[in-house]
């Protein structure tokens, strides 16, 4: 078998390049016009592949780029010109959405036809971008060279402002414009800064209008009909409005903005609505809200002040309220009769607000302790005396305090109040005097209850603080044992015998009393 070489290499027809380019160009134009192509998509793919294999890939790429540029320029110029008049300007977003949705679908189909070009020539040649990136770049270049980009941004902001004012808007168009700017890498540099600036201006005007018209907190005798209240807005109502605005902006991000917008958008909203007016909001209503135990509104206030770093103002208002309210209780006419019980209830209320509204914030907890200690020690020895008297009354109540757990909780609350007083030595003296009276007159709940309170004082102040108090209980126990032994050592008592009981007391433990002549 003899194989002879070909006499001449096969050559392409002279019109191959021109004819194939024209077929591919006609197919691109048909796709752009949403018309059927004269050839099947697979045949067009083969034409593109053949052009690339014969070294005409750059010509196909150039032809495709020219067609995309011409189509994008023609469509966008038409949209820009038709909506340039003021009455038709509102339709610009709709027409742009229709263009962008159609253009991206067409670009995806064109890429399928020219996939071989995209995966060979565009991928392997330096400074040549993919077909998808090229299709986006021609739109981006047109927007950059005209004022259409700024018009789209302005109309986008107008629509969002209308939605914030409560009007219905074309959200699908807003979604499409956002996606378009994001795909064209124009979102962060063009749309987002203008949108944040417009948000700042909108909420600055709204906050000034609303905050300047805020009224003090009032409790109306009759609840207003929903949606028909003519009363001016108070601070709790304003805080609820701010929370509603934040929820709306969060929904706005989820519906038609990029997720990366959320932090800047909420921060701007909080700055204008809360941070710049924190002083007025606190001075106008904080005391009334705490007085009325408005836990839900205080929790909302805390959650709004926390992200704008205004807890220092909240802390100052917290301290001022506690000191002012505490001073009023210390100077009340019936102070001696109601001080301790009133302070215990006051402390319980503040603890409830701190835990449920302020999330047990460490700074506010320290501020509470600081303020309590400041006002409770303005009367020197009086708080120590009255706390000791309150304990004495509790000890004499017997079972009226409730179960053992109730007794323990009551003692814990008293100890918590005891921590704030500075005259702890005076308290020990008053407590020792009252304890002596209870022990000698047998007017107490039980020795176990007395030991429970002494154990709490010992834990709080140390063993040395309760040494004499514990010695008094030991004396009573020893006296009881001696009396029992005396009774057991006697013979059968006479019918008219006189009862006898004596307590043996250690002088160093018990308080000194002035001698009484009989």
């Amino acid at each position: 078998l003899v194989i002879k070489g070909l006499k001449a290499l096969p050559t392409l027809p002279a019109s191959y390049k021109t004819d194939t380019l024209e077929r591919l160009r006609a197919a691109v134009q048909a796709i752009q016009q949403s018309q059927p192509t004269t050839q099947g998509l697979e045949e067009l793919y083969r034409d593109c592949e053949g052009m690339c294999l014969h070294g005409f890939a750059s010509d196909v790429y150039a032809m495709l780029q020219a067609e995309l540029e011409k189509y994008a320029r023609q469509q966008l110029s038409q949209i820009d010109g038709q909506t340039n008049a003021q009455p038709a300007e509102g339709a610009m977003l709709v027409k742009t959405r229709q263009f962008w949705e159609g253009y991206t679908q067409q670009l995806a189909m064109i890429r399928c036809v020219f996939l071989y070009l995209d995966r060979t020539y565009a991928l392997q040649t330096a400074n040549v971008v993919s077909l998808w990136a090229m299709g986006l770049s021609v739109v981006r270049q047109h927007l950059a060279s005209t004022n259409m980009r700024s018009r789209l941004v302005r109309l986008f902001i107008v629509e969002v402002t209308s939605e914030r004012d409560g009007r219905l808007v074309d959200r699908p168009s807003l979604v499409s414009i956002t996606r378009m700017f994001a795909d064209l890498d124009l979102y962060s540099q063009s749309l987002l800064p203008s949108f944040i600036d417009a948000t700042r201006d909108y909420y600055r005007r709204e906050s000034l209008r609303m905050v300047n018209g805020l009224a003090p907190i009032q409790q109306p005798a009759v609840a207003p009909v929903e949606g028909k209240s003519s009363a001016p807005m108070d601070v709790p109502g304003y805080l609820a409005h701010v929370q509603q605005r934040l929820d709306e902006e969060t929904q706005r991000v989820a519906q038609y903005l990029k997720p990366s917008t959320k932090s800047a958008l909420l921060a701007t909203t909080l700055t204008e609505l809360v941070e710049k007016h924190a002083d007025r909001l606190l001075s106008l209503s904080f005391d009334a809200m705490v007085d009325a135990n408005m836990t839900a509104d205080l929790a909302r206030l805390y959650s709004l002040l926390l992200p704008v770093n205004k807890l220092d103002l909240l802390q100052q208002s917290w301290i001022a309220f506690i000191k002012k309210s505490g001073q009023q209780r210390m100077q009340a006419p019936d102070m001696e009769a109601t001080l301790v019980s009133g302070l215990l209830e006051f402390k319980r209320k503040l603890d409830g607000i701190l835990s449920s509204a302020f999330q047990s914030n460490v700074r506010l907890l320290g501020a509470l302790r600081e303020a309590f200690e400041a006002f409770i020690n303005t009367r020197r020895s009086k708080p120590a005396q009255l706390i000791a008297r309150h304990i004495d009354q509790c000890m004499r109540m017997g079972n009226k305090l409730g179960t053992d757990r109730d007794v323990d909780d009551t003692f814990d609350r008293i100890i918590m109040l005891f921590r704030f007083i500075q005259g702890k030595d005076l308290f020990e003296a008053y407590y020792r005097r009252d304890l002596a009276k209870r022990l000698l007159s047998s007017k107490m709940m039980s020795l176990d209850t007395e030991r429970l309170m002494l154990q709490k004082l010992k834990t709080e102040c140390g063993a040395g603080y309760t040494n004499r108090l514990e010695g008094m209980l030991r004396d009573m126990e020893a006296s009881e044992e001696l009396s029992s032994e005396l009774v057991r050592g006697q013979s059968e008592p006479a019918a008219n015998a006189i009862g006898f009981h004596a307590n043996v007391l250690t002088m160093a433990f018990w308080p000194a009393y002035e001698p009484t002549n009989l």
Side-chain angles (χ1 to χ4, degrees):
L1 180 64
V2 178
I3 299 176
K4 297 181 179 180
L6 297 174
K7 295 181 180 180
L9 294 174
T11 59
L12 292 172
S15 62
Y16 172 77
K17 174 183 175 182
T18 304
D19 293 343
T20 307
L21 277 178
E22 286 303 319
R23 288 197 302 271
L24 292 175
R25 180 181 289 107
V28 171
Q29 293 174 352
I31 292 174
Q32 290 174 338
Q33 299 300 326
S34 300
Q35 299 293 329
T37 58
T38 56
Q39 296 173 280
L41 296 181
E42 184 176 356
E43 186 177 352
L44 292 171
Y45 178 89
R46 296 301 177 191
D47 285 343
C48 175
E49 182 182 17
M51 291 288 285
C52 294
L53 292 175
H54 289 96
F56 303 129
S58 60
D59 299 285
V60 177
Y61 190 90
M63 178 275 297
L64 190 57
Q65 185 174 13
E67 290 299 320
L68 290 175
E69 287 178 352
K70 182 177 69 173
Y71 178 77
R73 183 171 58 254
Q74 177 186 0
Q75 295 295 316
L76 292 174
S77 298
Q78 183 178 1
I79 294 173
D80 200 12
Q82 289 178 350
T83 59
N84 200 21
Q86 186 67 27
E89 194 175 44
M92 185 175 185
L93 292 181
V94 177
K95 292 183 177 298
T96 304
R97 170 172 66 87
Q98 294 171 350
F99 159 76
W100 182 249
E101 292 174 353
Y103 183 78
T104 52
Q105 292 175 1
Q106 297 163 9
L107 189 59
M109 182 174 290
I110 291 173
R111 182 178 178 274
C112 291
V113 173
F114 294 88
L115 187 60
Y116 190 86
L117 175 71
D118 196 32
R119 291 185 174 178
T120 55
Y121 176 75
L123 188 63
Q124 299 170 4
T125 307
N127 300 323
V128 175
V129 298
S130 67
L131 299 185
W132 183 266
M134 178 184 66
L136 298 182
S137 67
V138 298
V139 177
R140 181 168 55 248
Q141 290 170 6
H142 179 83
L143 293 180
S145 61
T146 64
N147 67 342
M148 188 174 181
R149 178 176 59 178
S150 59
R151 287 186 65 201
L152 288 173
V153 171
R154 179 173 59 81
L155 292 174
F156 183 92
I157 292 173
V158 168
E159 286 293 291
V160 175
T161 302
S162 297
E163 187 178 47
R164 286 170 175 159
D165 290 338
R167 293 188 287 270
L168 294 177
V169 297
D170 183 11
R171 283 187 176 177
S173 294
L174 297 179
V175 173
S176 183
I177 296 300
T178 298
R179 187 179 296 119
M180 173 181 169
F181 273 79
D183 292 343
L184 298 176
D185 291 332
L186 296 175
Y187 186 86
S188 298
Q189 68 183 29
S190 297
L191 182 59
L192 181 59
S194 300
F195 177 70
I196 294 299
D197 290 342
T199 300
R200 183 179 296 108
D201 292 339
Y202 181 87
Y203 285 124
R204 179 187 298 117
R205 294 191 300 269
E206 179 179 87
S207 63
L208 289 175
R209 182 181 71 254
M210 298 183 71
V211 171
N212 289 335
L214 289 178
I217 295 177
Q218 297 179 353
Q219 301 296 333
V222 180
V225 179
E226 185 177 355
K228 297 183 179 180
S229 175
S230 59
M233 179 179 288
D234 56 11
V235 172
Y238 178 77
L239 296 177
H241 172 77
V242 173
Q243 188 61 57
Q244 180 183 351
R245 285 298 195 186
L246 293 175
D247 294 340
E248 290 174 357
E249 298 301 332
T250 301
Q251 294 175 5
R252 192 164 287 118
V253 172
Q255 290 166 351
Y256 56 80
L257 295 173
K258 289 186 66 176
S260 58
T261 311
K262 183 176 180 179
S263 59
L265 180 59
L266 295 186
T268 302
T269 304
L270 277 172
T271 298
E272 297 302 326
L273 294 179
V274 178
E275 182 179 2
K276 292 184 177 180
H277 307 285
D279 286 328
R280 177 163 174 78
L281 295 177
L282 289 169
S283 62
L284 191 62
S285 69
F286 182 78
D287 290 2
M289 291 166 68
V290 178
D291 262 336
N293 202 22
M294 303 170 68
T295 308
D297 296 305
L298 289 170
R300 185 178 291 117
L301 175 65
Y302 175 83
S303 66
L304 295 176
L305 292 177
L306 183 61
V308 296
N309 298 319
K310 287 297 182 179
L311 283 190
D312 53 339
L313 296 179
L314 180 63
Q315 180 178 349
Q316 294 171 12
S317 300
W318 180 241
I319 292 176
F321 171 80
I322 296 173
K323 287 183 176 180
K324 182 181 72 174
S325 300
Q327 287 289 356
Q328 293 174 352
R329 286 173 167 79
M330 297 296 292
Q331 297 171 2
D334 58 345
M335 183 264 294
E336 292 196 9
T338 62
L339 177 65
V340 177
S341 59
L343 289 180
L344 289 174
E345 187 59 33
F346 184 48
K347 182 65 165 55
R348 183 201 293 270
K349 174 181 174 180
L350 295 179
D351 287 341
I353 292 175
L354 184 65
S355 61
S356 58
F358 298 155
Q359 301 177 10
S360 300
N361 184 274
V362 176
R363 289 173 56 186
L364 297 179
L365 175 60
L368 187 152
R369 293 171 177 170
E370 173 190 338
F372 240 89
E373 186 174 353
F375 79 76
I376 203 172
N377 290 293
T378 56
R379 294 293 299 271
R380 298 182 182 178
S381 62
K382 207 65 177 176
Q385 178 185 1
L386 295 179
I387 292 175
R389 182 186 300 174
H390 184 79
I391 297 175
D392 181 63
Q393 293 172 352
C394 291
M395 291 296 188
R396 294 173 181 268
M397 290 176 65
N399 294 329
K400 294 181 180 180
L401 283 179
T403 64
D404 293 343
R405 184 170 182 175
D406 295 333
V407 172
D408 190 66
D409 290 342
T410 301
F411 288 174
D412 283 337
R413 293 172 56 208
I414 294 174
I415 289 296
M416 187 164 47
L417 196 61
F418 166 77
R419 292 191 185 110
F420 298 124
I421 64 173
Q422 296 174 352
K424 290 184 172 58
D425 292 338
L426 289 173
F427 172 84
E428 192 270 346
Y430 289 123
Y431 187 88
R432 189 157 56 99
R433 183 195 63 188
D434 294 335
L435 176 61
K437 292 180 180 179
R438 291 196 301 273
L439 294 177
L440 295 177
S441 62
S442 299
K443 293 182 178 180
M444 59 182 176
M445 295 178 66
S446 66
L447 287 177
D448 290 337
T449 307
E450 297 287 355
R451 290 192 190 95
L452 177 61
M453 175 54 81
L454 292 186
Q455 182 60 42
K456 293 182 180 297
L457 292 173
K458 185 177 182 179
T459 302
E460 192 68 27
C461 300
Y465 187 79
T466 59
N467 181 48
R468 290 188 293 183
L469 301 174
E470 292 174 326
M472 295 168 66
L473 296 185
R474 289 195 296 268
D475 283 350
M476 296 304 296
E477 292 174 346
S479 298
E480 192 66 30
E481 291 178 2
L482 289 175
S483 298
S484 298
E485 291 178 2
L486 180 62
V487 171
R488 287 195 299 269
Q490 290 179 346
S491 58
E492 186 70 22
N496 57 352
I498 299 175
F500 174 78
H501 180 81
N503 291 317
V504 181
L505 310 179
T506 305
M507 183 179 296
F509 296 153
W510 293 76
Y513 293 96
E514 294 182 3
T516 302
N517 295 324
L518 298 177

